[in-house]
Coordinates of all heavy atoms in Angstrom, one line a residue:
L1 N 53.7 -246.1 85.1 CA 54.2 -245.6 86.4 C 55.6 -245.2 86.2 O 56.4 -245.9 85.7 CB 54.1 -246.6 87.5 CG 52.7 -246.9 88.1 CD1 52.9 -248.1 89.1 CD2 52.2 -245.7 88.7
E2 N 55.9 -244.0 86.8 CA 57.3 -243.6 86.8 C 58.0 -244.2 88.0 O 57.4 -244.3 89.0 CB 57.4 -242.0 86.9 CG 57.0 -241.3 85.7 CD 57.2 -239.8 85.9 OE1 58.2 -239.4 86.6 OE2 56.4 -239.0 85.4
S3 N 59.2 -244.6 87.8 CA 59.9 -245.1 88.9 C 60.4 -244.0 89.8 O 60.9 -242.9 89.3 CB 61.1 -246.0 88.5 OG 62.0 -245.2 87.8
L4 N 60.4 -244.2 91.1 CA 60.8 -243.1 92.0 C 62.3 -243.3 92.2 O 62.8 -244.4 92.4 CB 60.1 -243.2 93.3 CG 58.6 -243.0 93.3 CD1 58.0 -243.3 94.6 CD2 58.3 -241.6 92.8
S5 N 63.1 -242.2 92.1 CA 64.5 -242.3 92.4 C 64.7 -242.3 93.9 O 64.0 -241.7 94.6 CB 65.2 -241.1 91.7 OG 64.8 -239.9 92.3
P6 N 65.7 -243.0 94.3 CA 66.0 -243.1 95.8 C 66.5 -241.7 96.3 O 67.0 -240.9 95.5 CB 67.1 -244.1 95.9 CG 67.8 -244.2 94.5 CD 66.7 -243.8 93.5
L7 N 66.2 -241.5 97.5 CA 66.7 -240.3 98.2 C 68.2 -240.3 98.2 O 68.8 -241.3 98.4 CB 66.1 -240.2 99.6 CG 64.6 -240.0 99.7 CD1 64.1 -240.0 101.1 CD2 64.1 -238.7 99.0
P8 N 68.8 -239.1 98.1 CA 70.2 -239.1 98.2 C 70.7 -239.4 99.6 O 70.0 -239.1 100.6 CB 70.6 -237.6 97.8 CG 69.3 -236.9 98.0 CD 68.2 -237.8 97.8
S9 N 71.8 -239.9 99.8 CA 72.4 -240.2 101.1 C 72.8 -238.9 101.7 O 73.3 -238.0 101.0 CB 73.6 -241.2 101.0 OG 73.2 -242.4 100.4
P10 N 72.7 -238.9 103.0 CA 73.2 -237.6 103.7 C 74.7 -237.5 103.6 O 75.4 -238.5 103.5 CB 72.8 -237.8 105.2 CG 72.4 -239.3 105.3 CD 72.1 -239.8 104.0
V11 N 75.2 -236.3 103.5 CA 76.6 -236.1 103.4 C 77.2 -236.3 104.8 O 76.7 -235.8 105.8 CB 76.9 -234.6 103.0 CG1 78.3 -234.3 103.0 CG2 76.2 -234.3 101.7
P12 N 78.3 -237.2 104.9 CA 78.9 -237.4 106.2 C 79.6 -236.2 106.7 O 80.1 -235.4 105.9 CB 79.9 -238.5 105.9 CG 80.0 -238.6 104.4 CD 78.9 -237.9 103.8
L13 N 79.5 -235.9 108.0 CA 80.1 -234.8 108.5 C 81.6 -235.1 108.9 O 81.9 -236.2 109.4 CB 79.4 -234.4 109.8 CG 77.9 -234.0 109.6 CD1 77.3 -233.7 111.0 CD2 77.8 -232.8 108.7
S14 N 82.4 -234.1 108.7 CA 83.8 -234.3 109.0 C 84.0 -234.3 110.5 O 83.2 -233.7 111.3 CB 84.7 -233.2 108.4 OG 84.4 -232.0 109.1
P15 N 85.0 -235.0 111.1 CA 85.3 -234.9 112.5 C 85.4 -233.5 113.1 O 85.0 -233.2 114.2 CB 86.5 -235.8 112.7 CG 86.5 -236.7 111.5 CD 85.9 -235.9 110.4
A16 N 86.1 -232.6 112.3 CA 86.3 -231.3 112.7 C 84.9 -230.5 112.9 O 84.7 -229.8 113.8 CB 87.2 -230.5 111.8
L17 N 84.0 -230.8 111.9 CA 82.7 -230.1 112.0 C 81.9 -230.7 113.2 O 81.2 -229.9 113.9 CB 81.9 -230.3 110.7 CG 80.5 -229.7 110.6 CD1 80.6 -228.2 111.0 CD2 79.9 -229.9 109.3
I18 N 81.9 -232.0 113.4 CA 81.2 -232.6 114.5 C 81.8 -232.0 115.8 O 81.0 -231.7 116.7 CB 81.4 -234.1 114.4 CG1 80.6 -234.7 113.2 CG2 80.8 -234.8 115.7 CD1 80.8 -236.1 113.0
A19 N 83.1 -231.9 115.9 CA 83.7 -231.3 117.1 C 83.2 -229.9 117.4 O 82.9 -229.5 118.5 CB 85.2 -231.4 117.1
A20 N 83.1 -229.1 116.3 CA 82.7 -227.7 116.4 C 81.2 -227.7 116.8 O 80.8 -226.8 117.7 CB 82.9 -227.0 115.1
L21 N 80.4 -228.5 116.3 CA 79.0 -228.6 116.7 C 78.8 -229.0 118.1 O 78.0 -228.4 118.9 CB 78.2 -229.6 115.8 CG 78.0 -229.2 114.3 CD1 77.4 -230.4 113.5 CD2 77.2 -228.0 114.2
A22 N 79.6 -230.0 118.6 CA 79.5 -230.4 119.9 C 80.0 -229.3 120.9 O 79.4 -229.1 121.9 CB 80.4 -231.7 120.1
A23 N 81.0 -228.6 120.5 CA 81.5 -227.4 121.4 C 80.4 -226.4 121.5 O 80.2 -225.8 122.6 CB 82.8 -226.9 120.8
A24 N 79.7 -226.1 120.4 CA 78.7 -225.1 120.4 C 77.5 -225.6 121.2 O 76.9 -224.8 122.0 CB 78.2 -224.7 119.0
A25 N 77.2 -226.8 121.1 CA 76.1 -227.4 121.9 C 76.4 -227.4 123.4 O 75.6 -227.0 124.3 CB 75.8 -228.9 121.5
A26 N 77.7 -227.7 123.8 CA 78.1 -227.6 125.1 C 78.0 -226.2 125.7 O 77.6 -226.0 126.8 CB 79.6 -228.1 125.3
E27 N 78.3 -225.2 124.9 CA 78.2 -223.8 125.3 C 76.8 -223.5 125.6 O 76.5 -222.8 126.6 CB 78.7 -222.9 124.2 CG 78.7 -221.4 124.5 CD 79.2 -220.6 123.4 OE1 80.3 -220.9 122.8 OE2 78.5 -219.6 123.0
T28 N 75.9 -223.9 124.8 CA 74.4 -223.7 125.1 C 74.0 -224.4 126.3 O 73.3 -223.8 127.2 CB 73.6 -224.1 123.9 OG1 74.0 -223.4 122.7 CG2 72.1 -223.9 124.1
L29 N 74.4 -225.7 126.5 CA 74.0 -226.4 127.7 C 74.6 -225.8 129.0 O 74.0 -225.8 130.0 CB 74.4 -227.9 127.6 CG 73.6 -228.7 126.6 CD1 74.3 -230.1 126.5 CD2 72.2 -228.8 127.0
R30 N 75.8 -225.3 128.9 CA 76.5 -224.7 130.0 C 75.8 -223.4 130.5 O 75.8 -223.1 131.6 CB 77.9 -224.3 129.6 CG 78.9 -224.1 130.7 CD 80.3 -223.8 130.2 NE 80.9 -225.1 129.6 CZ 81.3 -225.2 128.4 NH1 81.1 -224.2 127.5 NH2 81.8 -226.4 128.0
A31 N 75.1 -222.8 129.6 CA 74.4 -221.5 129.9 C 73.1 -221.6 130.6 O 72.6 -220.6 131.1 CB 74.2 -220.7 128.6
G32 N 72.6 -222.8 130.7 CA 71.2 -222.9 131.4 C 70.9 -224.3 131.8 O 71.8 -225.1 132.1
Q33 N 69.6 -224.5 131.9 CA 69.1 -225.8 132.4 C 69.2 -226.8 131.3 O 69.4 -226.5 130.1 CB 67.6 -225.6 132.7 CG 67.4 -224.6 133.9 CD 67.9 -225.1 135.2 OE1 67.8 -226.3 135.5 NE2 68.6 -224.2 135.9
P34 N 69.0 -228.1 131.7 CA 68.9 -229.2 130.6 C 68.0 -228.8 129.5 O 66.9 -228.1 129.8 CB 68.4 -230.4 131.4 CG 68.8 -230.1 132.8 CD 68.7 -228.6 133.0
C35 N 68.3 -229.2 128.3 CA 67.4 -228.8 127.2 C 67.2 -230.0 126.3 O 68.0 -231.0 126.2 CB 67.9 -227.6 126.4 SG 69.4 -227.9 125.5
S36 N 66.1 -229.9 125.5 CA 65.8 -230.9 124.5 C 66.5 -230.7 123.2 O 67.1 -229.6 123.0 CB 64.2 -230.9 124.3 OG 63.9 -229.8 123.6
R37 N 66.4 -231.7 122.3 CA 67.0 -231.5 121.0 C 66.4 -230.3 120.3 O 67.1 -229.5 119.7 CB 66.8 -232.8 120.2 CG 67.5 -234.0 120.8 CD 67.0 -235.2 120.0 NE 67.7 -236.4 120.6 CZ 67.3 -237.6 120.4 NH1 66.2 -237.8 119.6 NH2 67.9 -238.7 120.9
R38 N 65.1 -230.2 120.4 CA 64.4 -229.1 119.7 C 64.8 -227.7 120.3 O 65.0 -226.8 119.6 CB 62.9 -229.3 119.7 CG 62.4 -230.4 118.9 CD 61.0 -230.4 118.7 NE 60.5 -231.7 118.1 CZ 60.7 -232.1 116.9 NH1 61.3 -231.3 116.0 NH2 60.3 -233.2 116.4
E39 N 64.9 -227.7 121.6 CA 65.3 -226.4 122.2 C 66.7 -226.0 121.8 O 67.0 -224.9 121.6 CB 65.2 -226.5 123.7 CG 63.8 -226.6 124.2 CD 63.6 -227.1 125.7 OE1 64.6 -227.7 126.2 OE2 62.6 -226.8 126.2
L40 N 67.6 -227.0 121.8 CA 69.0 -226.8 121.3 C 69.0 -226.3 119.9 O 69.7 -225.3 119.6 CB 69.9 -228.0 121.5 CG 71.3 -227.9 121.0 CD1 72.1 -226.8 121.8 CD2 72.0 -229.2 121.1
A41 N 68.2 -226.9 119.0 CA 68.2 -226.5 117.6 C 67.7 -225.1 117.5 O 68.3 -224.3 116.7 CB 67.3 -227.5 116.9
E42 N 66.7 -224.8 118.3 CA 66.1 -223.4 118.2 C 67.1 -222.4 118.7 O 67.3 -221.3 118.1 CB 64.8 -223.3 119.0 CG 64.2 -222.0 118.9 CD 62.8 -222.0 119.7 OE1 62.0 -222.9 119.5 OE2 62.6 -221.0 120.5
A43 N 67.8 -222.7 119.8 CA 68.8 -221.8 120.4 C 69.9 -221.5 119.5 O 70.5 -220.4 119.5 CB 69.2 -222.3 121.8
R44 N 70.3 -222.5 118.8 CA 71.5 -222.4 117.9 C 71.2 -222.1 116.5 O 72.1 -221.8 115.7 CB 72.3 -223.7 117.9 CG 73.1 -224.0 119.1 CD 74.3 -223.1 119.0 NE 74.9 -222.9 120.3 CZ 75.9 -222.0 120.5 NH1 76.3 -221.3 119.5 NH2 76.4 -221.9 121.7
G45 N 69.9 -222.1 116.1 CA 69.5 -221.9 114.7 C 69.9 -223.0 113.8 O 70.1 -222.8 112.6
W46 N 69.8 -224.2 114.4 CA 70.2 -225.5 113.6 C 69.0 -226.2 113.3 O 67.9 -226.0 113.8 CB 71.0 -226.4 114.5 CG 72.4 -225.9 114.9 CD1 73.1 -224.9 114.3 CD2 73.2 -226.5 115.9 NE1 74.3 -224.8 114.9 CE2 74.4 -225.7 115.9 CE3 73.0 -227.4 116.9 CZ2 75.4 -226.0 116.8 CZ3 74.1 -227.7 117.8 CH2 75.3 -227.0 117.7
A47 N 69.1 -227.2 112.4 CA 68.1 -228.2 112.1 C 68.1 -229.1 113.2 O 69.1 -229.3 114.0 CB 68.4 -228.9 110.8
Y48 N 66.9 -229.8 113.4 CA 66.8 -230.8 114.5 C 67.9 -231.8 114.4 O 68.4 -232.2 115.5 CB 65.4 -231.4 114.4 CG 65.2 -232.6 115.3 CD1 64.8 -232.3 116.6 CD2 65.4 -233.9 114.9 CE1 64.6 -233.4 117.5 CE2 65.2 -234.9 115.8 CZ 64.8 -234.7 117.1 OH 64.6 -235.7 118.0
N49 N 68.1 -232.4 113.3 CA 69.1 -233.5 113.1 C 70.5 -233.0 113.5 O 71.4 -233.8 113.9 CB 69.1 -234.1 111.8 CG 67.9 -235.1 111.7 OD1 67.4 -235.6 112.6 ND2 67.3 -235.2 110.5
T50 N 70.8 -231.7 113.2 CA 72.1 -231.2 113.6 C 72.3 -231.2 115.1 O 73.3 -231.6 115.7 CB 72.4 -229.8 113.0 OG1 72.2 -229.9 111.6 CG2 73.7 -229.2 113.4
A51 N 71.2 -230.7 115.8 CA 71.2 -230.7 117.3 C 71.3 -232.1 117.8 O 72.1 -232.4 118.8 CB 70.0 -230.0 117.8
K52 N 70.6 -233.1 117.2 CA 70.7 -234.5 117.6 C 72.1 -235.0 117.5 O 72.6 -235.7 118.4 CB 69.7 -235.3 116.7 CG 69.6 -236.7 117.1 CD 68.5 -237.4 116.2 CE 68.5 -238.9 116.4 NZ 67.5 -239.5 115.5
R53 N 72.7 -234.7 116.4 CA 74.1 -235.2 116.2 C 75.1 -234.6 117.2 O 76.0 -235.3 117.7 CB 74.5 -234.9 114.7 CG 75.9 -235.5 114.4 CD 75.9 -237.0 114.4 NE 77.2 -237.5 114.2 CZ 78.1 -238.0 115.1 NH1 77.7 -238.0 116.4 NH2 79.3 -238.5 114.8
A54 N 74.9 -233.3 117.4 CA 75.8 -232.6 118.4 C 75.7 -233.2 119.8 O 76.7 -233.5 120.5 CB 75.6 -231.1 118.4
L55 N 74.4 -233.5 120.2 CA 74.2 -234.1 121.5 C 74.7 -235.5 121.6 O 75.2 -236.0 122.6 CB 72.7 -234.0 121.9 CG 72.2 -232.7 122.3 CD1 70.7 -232.7 122.3 CD2 72.8 -232.2 123.6
Q56 N 74.6 -236.2 120.5 CA 75.1 -237.6 120.4 C 76.6 -237.6 120.6 O 77.1 -238.4 121.3 CB 74.7 -238.2 119.0 CG 75.2 -239.6 118.9 CD 74.9 -240.2 117.5 OE1 74.3 -239.5 116.7 NE2 75.5 -241.3 117.2
E57 N 77.3 -236.7 120.0 CA 78.7 -236.6 120.1 C 79.1 -236.3 121.5 O 80.0 -236.9 122.1 CB 79.3 -235.5 119.2 CG 80.8 -235.3 119.2 CD 81.5 -236.6 118.7 OE1 80.9 -237.4 118.0 OE2 82.7 -236.6 118.9
L58 N 78.4 -235.3 122.2 CA 78.7 -235.0 123.6 C 78.5 -236.2 124.5 O 79.3 -236.4 125.4 CB 77.9 -233.8 124.0 CG 78.2 -232.5 123.5 CD1 77.2 -231.4 123.9 CD2 79.6 -232.1 124.0
C59 N 77.4 -237.0 124.2 CA 77.2 -238.1 125.1 C 78.2 -239.2 124.8 O 78.7 -239.9 125.8 CB 75.8 -238.7 124.8 SG 74.4 -237.6 125.4
E60 N 78.6 -239.4 123.6 CA 79.7 -240.4 123.3 C 81.0 -240.0 123.9 O 81.8 -240.9 124.3 CB 79.9 -240.5 121.7 CG 78.7 -241.3 121.1 CD 78.9 -241.3 119.5 OE1 79.9 -240.7 119.0 OE2 77.9 -241.8 118.9
Q61 N 81.3 -238.8 124.0 CA 82.5 -238.3 124.7 C 82.4 -238.2 126.2 O 83.3 -237.8 126.9 CB 82.9 -236.9 124.2 CG 83.3 -236.9 122.7 CD 83.7 -235.5 122.3 OE1 84.0 -234.6 123.1 NE2 83.8 -235.4 121.0
E62 N 81.2 -238.6 126.7 CA 80.9 -238.6 128.1 C 81.0 -237.2 128.7 O 81.4 -237.0 129.9 CB 81.8 -239.6 128.9 CG 81.5 -241.0 128.5 CD 82.4 -242.0 129.2 OE1 83.2 -241.7 130.0 OE2 82.2 -243.2 128.9
L63 N 80.6 -236.2 127.9 CA 80.5 -234.8 128.4 C 79.1 -234.4 128.7 O 78.9 -233.4 129.4 CB 81.2 -233.9 127.3 CG 82.6 -234.2 127.0 CD1 83.1 -233.4 125.8 CD2 83.5 -233.9 128.2
A64 N 78.1 -235.1 128.2 CA 76.7 -234.8 128.5 C 76.0 -236.1 128.7 O 76.5 -237.2 128.3 CB 76.1 -234.0 127.3
R65 N 74.8 -236.0 129.3 CA 74.0 -237.2 129.5 C 72.6 -236.8 129.5 O 72.2 -235.7 129.7 CB 74.4 -237.9 130.8 CG 74.1 -237.2 132.0 CD 74.5 -237.9 133.3 NE 73.7 -239.1 133.5 CZ 73.8 -239.9 134.5 NH1 74.7 -239.6 135.4 NH2 73.0 -240.9 134.6
L66 N 71.8 -237.9 129.4 CA 70.3 -237.7 129.4 C 69.9 -237.3 130.9 O 70.3 -238.0 131.8 CB 69.6 -239.0 129.0 CG 68.2 -239.0 128.8 CD1 67.7 -238.0 127.7 CD2 67.7 -240.4 128.5
A67 N 69.3 -236.2 131.0 CA 68.8 -235.7 132.3 C 67.4 -236.1 132.6 O 67.0 -236.3 133.8 CB 69.0 -234.2 132.4
D68 N 66.6 -236.2 131.6 CA 65.2 -236.6 131.8 C 64.7 -237.3 130.5 O 64.9 -236.8 129.4 CB 64.4 -235.3 131.9 CG 62.9 -235.6 132.1 OD1 62.5 -236.7 132.3 OD2 62.1 -234.6 132.1
A69 N 64.2 -238.5 130.7 CA 63.8 -239.4 129.6 C 62.6 -238.8 128.9 O 62.2 -239.3 127.8 CB 63.6 -240.8 130.0
G70 N 61.9 -237.9 129.5 CA 60.8 -237.2 128.8 C 59.6 -238.0 128.5 O 59.3 -239.0 129.2
P71 N 58.8 -237.7 127.5 CA 59.2 -236.9 126.4 C 59.0 -235.4 126.8 O 58.1 -235.1 127.6 CB 58.3 -237.3 125.3 CG 57.1 -237.9 125.9 CD 57.5 -238.4 127.3
P72 N 59.7 -234.5 126.2 CA 60.9 -234.7 125.4 C 62.1 -235.1 126.2 O 62.2 -234.7 127.4 CB 61.1 -233.4 124.7 CG 60.6 -232.4 125.7 CD 59.5 -233.0 126.4
R73 N 63.0 -235.8 125.6 CA 64.3 -236.1 126.3 C 65.0 -234.8 126.5 O 65.1 -233.9 125.6 CB 65.2 -237.0 125.4 CG 64.6 -238.4 125.3 CD 65.5 -239.2 124.4 NE 65.0 -240.5 124.3 CZ 65.7 -241.6 124.5 NH1 67.0 -241.5 124.6 NH2 65.2 -242.8 124.4
R74 N 65.6 -234.6 127.7 CA 66.4 -233.4 128.0 C 67.8 -233.9 128.4 O 68.0 -234.9 129.1 CB 65.8 -232.7 129.1 CG 64.5 -232.1 128.8 CD 64.0 -231.1 129.8 NE 62.7 -230.5 129.4 CZ 62.6 -229.6 128.5 NH1 63.6 -229.1 127.9 NH2 61.4 -229.1 128.2
Y75 N 68.8 -233.1 127.9 CA 70.2 -233.4 128.1 C 70.8 -232.3 129.0 O 70.4 -231.2 129.0 CB 70.9 -233.5 126.8 CG 70.4 -234.6 125.9 CD1 69.3 -234.5 125.2 CD2 71.0 -235.9 125.9 CE1 68.8 -235.5 124.4 CE2 70.6 -236.9 125.2 CZ 69.4 -236.7 124.4 OH 69.0 -237.8 123.6
R76 N 71.8 -232.8 129.7 CA 72.6 -231.8 130.5 C 74.1 -232.1 130.4 O 74.5 -233.2 130.1 CB 72.2 -231.8 132.0 CG 72.6 -233.1 132.7 CD 72.2 -233.0 134.2 NE 72.4 -234.2 134.9 CZ 73.6 -234.5 135.4 NH1 74.6 -233.8 135.3 NH2 73.7 -235.7 136.0
L77 N 74.8 -231.0 130.6 CA 76.3 -231.1 130.5 C 76.8 -231.7 131.9 O 76.3 -231.4 132.9 CB 76.9 -229.7 130.3 CG 78.3 -229.6 129.7 CD1 78.3 -230.3 128.3 CD2 78.6 -228.2 129.6
L78 N 77.7 -232.6 131.8 CA 78.3 -233.1 133.0 C 79.4 -232.2 133.6 O 80.0 -231.5 132.8 CB 79.0 -234.5 132.8 CG 78.0 -235.6 132.4 CD1 78.8 -236.9 132.0 CD2 77.0 -235.9 133.5
A79 N 79.5 -232.1 134.9 CA 80.5 -231.3 135.5 C 81.9 -231.9 135.1 O 82.2 -233.0 135.3 CB 80.3 -231.3 137.0
C80 N 82.8 -231.0 134.6 CA 84.1 -231.4 134.2 C 85.1 -230.8 135.2 O 85.0 -229.6 135.5 CB 84.4 -231.0 132.8 SG 83.3 -231.8 131.6
Q81 N 86.1 -231.5 135.6 CA 87.1 -231.0 136.4 C 88.4 -231.0 135.6 O 88.8 -231.9 135.0 CB 87.3 -231.8 137.7 CG 86.0 -231.8 138.6 CD 86.2 -232.7 139.8 OE1 87.3 -233.1 140.1 NE2 85.2 -232.9 140.5
A82 N 89.1 -229.8 135.7 CA 90.3 -229.7 135.0 C 91.4 -230.5 135.8 O 91.4 -230.4 137.0 CB 90.7 -228.2 134.9
K83 N 92.2 -231.2 135.1 CA 93.3 -231.9 135.7 C 94.6 -231.1 135.7 O 94.9 -230.4 134.7 CB 93.6 -233.2 135.0 CG 92.4 -234.2 135.1 CD 92.7 -235.5 134.4 CE 91.5 -236.4 134.5 NZ 91.8 -237.7 133.8
D84 N 95.3 -231.1 136.8 CA 96.6 -230.4 136.8 C 97.6 -231.2 136.0 O 97.6 -232.5 136.1 CB 97.1 -230.3 138.3 CG 96.2 -229.4 139.1 OD1 95.6 -228.4 138.5 OD2 96.0 -229.6 140.3
P85 N 98.5 -230.5 135.3 CA 99.5 -231.2 134.5 C 100.5 -231.9 135.3 O 100.8 -231.7 136.4 CB 100.1 -230.1 133.6 CG 99.7 -228.8 134.2 CD 98.5 -229.1 135.1

């Protein structure tokens, strides 16, 4: 029997790339109704896991939240109010 080699670890994403993905996801969510991870991936031309990570980042920053537990889960952008300086 040949031994199977372990799968390579995923490459960690830089904070700048994660921020850019989150901004693009926010733009897509801003343009329409709540969407699922797969819908976001399709709209952006991303892999499913990229969309998942972008939505995770938006939720961690409290900019988006789960709108419908589904299945499929749908996310929506939270209303943001600009603060006066």
Side-chain angles (χ1 to χ4, degrees):
L1 283 175
E2 286 184 40
S3 64
L4 297 175
S5 60
L7 294 174
S9 298
V11 176
L13 301 176
S14 72
L17 179 56
I18 292 171
L21 292 173
E27 182 180 313
T28 301
L29 289 173
R30 199 175 290 117
Q33 297 296 318
C35 68
S36 70
R37 295 168 182 167
R38 291 194 192 285
E39 291 166 338
L40 177 61
E42 184 177 312
R44 283 283 162 192
W46 292 343
Y48 173 83
N49 284 329
T50 302
K52 182 178 174 181
R53 182 64 183 105
L55 286 169
Q56 178 184 354
E57 181 67 17
L58 287 175
C59 290
E60 286 175 3
Q61 292 181 18
E62 298 179 359
L63 297 174
R65 68 182 289 184
L66 187 62
D68 181 8
R73 291 178 178 228
R74 295 191 178 282
Y75 296 83
R76 70 176 173 86
L77 204 58
L78 295 175
C80 298
Q81 296 181 10
K83 294 182 180 180
D84 293 329

